[in-house]
Amino acid sequence: MENKKMQLALQMVAGYGGEFTSWRMPGADPTSYINIDSYVEGAKLAEKGKFHMIFIADTPALSNDLGTHSPMYPMDPMLSLMAVARETEYIGLVATMSTTFNYPYNIARQYKALDIISRGRVGWNAVTTSAPEAAANFGSRVDSREIRYSKAHESIQIVQSLWGSWGKDALTLDTEEGEFANMGKVQPINLQGKYYASKGPLPIPPSEQGQPVIFQAGGGTEGLELAGRYASGVYANPYDIESAREHRAAIRQSASRFGRNPDDIKMLTGFMFSLGSTEEEALERRRQIMSFDPKEIPNRVSYLGMMVGVPMSVESIDIDQPLEEKLLKRARPNPRDPRSEKALELLKKGISIRNVLAHGVINYHPLVAGTPVQVADFLEEWFLAEACDGFSIVPDVANEGIADFVELVVPILQERGLYHKDYEGKTLRENMGVPYQYGMLNY
């Protein structure tokens, strides 16, 4: 990784941060979900910190209970990015759109139009959808994994072909001769697959980066093939360095199998944080966030017990005390859960059950609750171990968490030579260091 710089994406969630009770934190804007200005402000803070992109995950369904929790996703990712595009200049704009429940033509049109509007800063995270509640919203059922990925291949190929169907120099705008475009260079694609088809062309010219950057998220053999064939960016969720290195190596190998330079595909791994001037201050933030949903604490305690193979419940143990020695002697990490190693390590340090949970051992991404230096140390360790090319950052509370990361962590990373001090260019491809592309490549 010599001379390489880590890349950072800000995972926007629904505008509140990575914890679904953080909307209640002091200083948080409880209206963020319906206040696009709050969303835009978060993106502008990230651009101030030279983040390469913002990233919006999405599933076309209500995915969690909104009785006490904030939503997992914004009202509409593309409309949110449209608002951000008009208020920013450099930061990339990446959103998820399902290949399972969207026609390729609609995907191609929306993303390429936004790429033009943003002057070449857009990326499409192409994913399959397996959620039954999402399928129900389209009057459908969940397809088999094989069908979902077959649809994904067809969708991406059609989308990229549509993106390239308007010739690079077809837009003439010749006012003297009266020619708006050279229609000989605007060609139908006439693609017919088993699941999708499109005649084309798409009447939108190239942007400054040619076409939007393709991203991918999802594991397994099928996910690796999708990434290796098409993606320039991959969002991944490993929990430890070893599995992260293995996944990154597999992605790079997949790219090589399709005749691509493995350096042209970047893996960003999910990472969560809570910052404080001391570790205890950061843990207090975590405890406060946890306290907003006391009904969830028994579930967390029980799950922690399953992770280390000993029974735990709020009725049987005092969660503000360390795990009893007799139980600790029986504890073993669950080989099926990579988070369990860290959980057991913290339990052996003799800290309370509540603080073990505050350290985020059952969170979806690795989490650091600590000082800016501790957060920077974690990012440096993973990056230098070649476990990733960068991180998809999820603050505990937005926009306070974003501002603190930009002001306190980014300078440390820059001083260590791990992170760029300014944008390399104005397009997402330039800033990611991936090649210009226009149209479907022959892999």
Side-chain angles (χ1 to χ4, degrees):
M1 306 295 278
E2 187 178 358
N3 298 324
K4 291 187 177 181
K5 308 296 183 186
M6 71 173 65
Q7 300 189 12
L8 294 181
L10 172 64
Q11 198 168 151
M12 293 292 285
V13 201
Y16 298 101
E19 299 290 347
F20 301 127
T21 56
S22 61
W23 65 277
R24 295 180 61 189
M25 282 289 281
D29 175 7
T31 72
S32 287
Y33 181 61
I34 54 174
N35 179 7
I36 196 63
D37 290 338
S38 178
Y39 214 78
V40 169
E41 182 60 29
K44 291 170 74 173
L45 286 169
E47 186 170 70
K48 179 182 177 183
K50 313 302 179 184
F51 273 61
H52 295 72
M53 67 200 81
I54 61 171
F55 166 53
I56 302 177
D58 187 54
T59 294
L62 176 60
S63 301
N64 62 321
D65 182 357
L66 303 185
T68 56
H69 290 186
S70 61
M72 296 179 68
Y73 312 112
M75 292 182 291
D76 183 277
M78 296 303 287
L79 292 178
S80 298
L81 289 185
M82 176 65 189
V84 171
R86 300 297 293 164
E87 297 288 336
T88 54
E89 188 175 358
Y90 295 97
I91 196 164
L93 312 168
V94 185
T96 298
M97 189 173 285
S98 170
T99 58
T100 308
F101 296 116
N102 292 284
Y103 285 110
Y105 189 90
N106 288 340
I107 296 172
R109 185 182 190 186
Q110 290 185 51
Y111 278 87
K112 199 177 186 191
L114 187 58
D115 205 31
I116 293 289
I117 291 166
S118 67
R119 301 187 181 276
R121 293 188 284 134
V122 169
W124 169 35
N125 185 36
V127 302
T128 69
T129 303
S130 59
E133 60 270 24
N137 285 338
F138 297 89
S140 181
R141 295 182 180 180
V142 175
D143 291 324
S144 68
R145 186 176 180 86
E146 179 182 2
I147 290 176
R148 293 200 313 275
Y149 276 91
S150 293
K151 284 183 173 181
H153 281 279
E154 288 189 11
S155 176
I156 295 172
Q157 290 175 26
I158 291 173
V159 166
Q160 295 200 100
S161 297
L162 285 166
W163 283 342
S165 63
W166 181 290
K168 292 181 184 179
D169 56 353
L171 185 66
T172 55
L173 302 178
D174 187 339
T175 57
E176 290 189 7
E177 296 296 326
E179 182 185 68
F180 186 84
N182 181 345
M183 287 304 292
K185 297 180 179 181
V186 180
Q187 297 294 324
I189 63 170
N190 292 318
L191 287 180
Q192 175 69 56
K194 183 176 180 181
Y195 302 101
Y196 296 125
S198 183
K199 178 178 179 291
L202 182 70
I204 305 176
S207 75
E208 285 84 340
Q209 67 174 356
Q211 67 184 40
V213 179
I214 298 289
F215 288 77
Q216 184 271 345
T221 303
E222 298 89 348
L224 286 173
E225 181 182 354
L226 208 68
R229 288 190 69 175
Y230 313 111
S232 297
V234 173
Y235 293 111
N237 298 310
Y239 202 81
D240 58 77
I241 286 179
E242 182 179 353
S243 60
R245 291 182 67 179
E246 290 175 355
H247 191 55
R248 180 174 180 267
I251 291 168
R252 291 170 62 83
Q253 289 166 7
S254 180
S256 295
R257 284 197 299 273
F258 290 101
R260 301 176 59 201
N261 183 342
D263 288 337
D264 291 342
I265 185 168
K266 314 296 184 183
M267 188 184 100
L268 306 180
T269 186
F271 170 72
M272 303 178 72
F273 67 91
S274 288
L275 282 173
S277 58
T278 64
E279 183 176 304
E280 176 56 30
E281 185 178 301
L283 287 172
E284 176 54 32
R285 284 175 64 88
R286 304 287 311 166
R287 290 192 294 264
Q288 185 175 8
I289 291 171
M290 288 167 51
S291 72
F292 292 132
D293 192 3
K295 293 183 292 185
E296 183 63 21
I297 292 178
N299 295 333
R300 295 187 178 212
V301 171
S302 176
Y303 195 89
L304 176 62
M306 289 189 290
M307 287 174 67
V308 296
V310 295
M312 292 190 200
S313 70
V314 292
E315 292 81 18
S316 63
I317 62 173
D318 183 351
I319 66 171
D320 289 309
Q321 296 296 322
L323 186 65
E324 294 179 40
E325 188 65 28
K326 63 179 181 180
L327 293 177
L328 192 58
K329 289 180 178 179
R330 293 166 45 191
R332 298 291 184 273
N334 186 331
R336 296 182 179 180
D337 192 333
R339 301 171 296 179
S340 61
E341 292 278 0
K342 180 180 178 181
L344 184 55
E345 176 187 335
L346 291 170
L347 288 169
K348 287 181 176 179
K349 287 183 177 180
I351 67 177
S352 71
I353 303 296
R354 192 186 300 275
N355 275 346
V356 171
L357 293 171
H359 274 285
V361 295
I362 65 172
N363 279 71
Y364 187 57
H365 298 305
L367 185 148
V368 173
T371 66
V373 170
Q374 287 176 297
V375 170
D377 287 346
F378 177 95
L379 300 179
E380 178 178 16
E381 181 183 11
W382 277 54
F383 183 67
L384 295 184
E386 300 189 10
C388 60
D389 296 284
F391 301 88
S392 181
I393 301 289
V394 192
D396 55 0
V397 180
N399 292 327
E400 177 187 326
I402 304 170
D404 286 346
F405 187 94
V406 167
E407 296 296 330
L408 302 173
V409 179
V410 164
I412 298 173
L413 297 175
Q414 290 172 331
E415 288 167 8
R416 296 179 183 182
L418 299 169
Y419 185 61
H420 66 181
K421 293 186 177 181
D422 204 354
Y423 288 103
E424 286 69 28
K426 285 196 170 184
T427 71
L428 180 55
R429 291 182 183 276
E430 288 176 300
N431 291 318
M432 288 182 66
V434 299
Y436 178 95
Q437 183 178 345
Y438 195 61
M440 184 63 201
L441 300 181
N442 295 319
Y443 297 137

